[in-house]
Amino acid sequence: MPTDESCLVDTDGSATTVRLTGVLDRAGLGAVRDALLARLWQRPGPLRVDLSGVRFADPEARNGLDEVRRAVADWPAGELLLDRPDAPAAHPPTTPPEVLDADLPPVSEAARRARALVADGCVRWGRPELAEPACIAITEMVTNVVVHAGTPMTLRLAPRGSALHLAVRDHSTGRPAYTGPAALDAVGGRGLLLIETVSRRWGSTPLPDGKVVWCVLYAEDEAVFRN
């Protein structure tokens, strides 16, 4: 698919490899970034980017691809592999990633459905100790969409090592911002604090038509907390 007159992103949405061709400069970086992020969310699993046919007009353009790679590193089953001409090729693993996802409407019932999916994933992947904190996190993530975004959403979760990765994708460009604990007499405002408390890290990634809010929980963190 064309992103601008200088650089092309060649992908059909189902392949595990995309190819960049042409000249990538700062002006075209945003469109390339958007195309890669959209593809990475559309199809979970490692995505290999062949850079043998692209010329970088400046270091910032090259660094921009590294920023995309870091942005999706904590998505469920998200991984961007950059094959550079001056480095050994990075080949995606052949084993399909384990992923659960669900499309949910922006209604209060969505939180209950999300908790059920997360609890099922924790049992399926042998991480029962993460069921409670993960359900707390996903409840707040989904409720934020219902209350603030008001758009349909997609919930996705996947294991990686001892960690559980959760994400909710909505269609609002407003991004969550944690500004510290809410006042004792405040109504609401504690959702992000709860996510901050139960997960090791969390964040949001802007997309052209919305965002992905994600968090990562580790089994060993929960074991330490319970002991």
Side-chain angles (χ1 to χ4, degrees), residues 11-23:
T11 176
D12 62 9
S14 61
T16 58
T17 300
V18 300
R19 178 178 171 82
L20 298 189
T21 58
V23 178

Side-chain angles (χ1 to χ4, degrees), residues 144-156:
N144 280 341
V145 177
V146 174
V147 173
H148 300 292
T151 73
M153 70 192 91
T154 300
L155 161 65
R156 181 170 295 162

